[in-house]
Amino acid sequence: MTSLEVRAVRESDMRELLALIRAKAEFDGCLDSLRAEESSLSVALFSAQPKAKALVAVINSAVVGLVTYYDIYSSFIAKPGIWLDDLYVYEAHRGQGVGKALITKLCEIARQGGCGRIDWIVARDNANGRAFYQALGAEVFEQVRHARLDETAIDRLAVKHA
């Protein structure tokens, strides 16, 4: 008999959380860009001014899935929202309702916070992920393009205007 629990991440979960993030980076094909360490995750999640939040899915005392997220604001709807940064479930536990349980808990948090929406990115070639999200009722916007200024670009632009 398996028991599924979705709960807020604990500081004692940092090794398991990093392992899940590493597995997601590998799944996404960008393991070489992973810079997170247990200590940096702990600071981001548990400092006096946390930069992010996380939920974990636990089955029979084993951490098998995660959601990382943070607060955003939409000027278009004049409401707060949540940016879902990462959702990942170990392959051996997919199809057991773990991902849906994580999203459901995130929706409960969003509702309690008066959020108007939850946003995230799904890779164009992640057909299973896209189907999963659409089955939950998410709209996948094909016309939106992800843009990013990395740390090098931020430093370069900030220096020009300092």
Side-chain angles (χ1 to χ4, degrees):
M1 171 103 181
T2 61
S3 66
L4 171 61
E5 174 192 11
V6 174
R7 61 167 171 78
V9 70
R10 300 174 184 148
E11 271 195 273
S12 59
D13 296 324
M14 290 305 99
R15 183 175 37 150
E16 291 88 352
L17 187 68
L18 182 56
L20 280 159
I21 292 170
R22 181 179 306 282
K24 177 157 189 326
E26 191 170 350
F27 175 83
D28 289 346
C30 59
L31 188 57
D32 58 327
S33 68
L34 182 65
R35 301 286 181 269
E37 298 175 349
E38 289 178 39
S39 60
S40 60
L41 288 172
S42 186
V43 168
L45 296 166
F46 297 104
S47 66
Q49 294 183 320
K51 302 301 181 204
K53 301 169 189 168
L55 302 172
V56 291
V58 181
I59 295 179
N60 298 331
S61 302
V63 176
V64 300
L66 77 102
V67 164
T68 59
Y69 64 100
Y70 53 89
D71 299 327
I72 58 171
Y73 180 79
S74 170
S75 58
F76 282 20
I77 62 174
K79 286 188 171 191
I82 289 176
W83 182 267
L84 188 166
D85 194 45
D86 289 312
L87 169 65
Y88 187 78
V89 176
Y90 284 129
E91 192 170 349
H93 296 282
R94 293 182 193 155
Q96 300 175 22
V98 177
K100 185 175 182 180
L102 285 161
I103 293 287
T104 298
K105 182 66 172 177
L106 192 61
C107 287
E108 290 171 9
I109 291 166
R111 183 194 227 180
Q112 290 169 357
C115 294
R117 63 191 201 196
I118 299 172
D119 289 310
W120 67 95
I121 294 172
V122 58
R124 188 179 302 243
D125 63 350
N126 184 354
N128 289 340
R130 292 161 55 99
F132 169 74
Y133 295 134
Q134 288 171 324
L136 293 175
E139 182 178 358
V140 177
F141 298 95
E142 299 296 335
Q143 71 277 16
V144 178
R145 293 292 201 186
H146 181 207
R148 174 183 294 151
L149 289 172
D150 66 11
E151 194 170 3
T152 302
I154 292 167
D155 289 345
R156 184 180 66 247
L157 288 167
V159 168
K160 284 183 179 180
H161 299 286

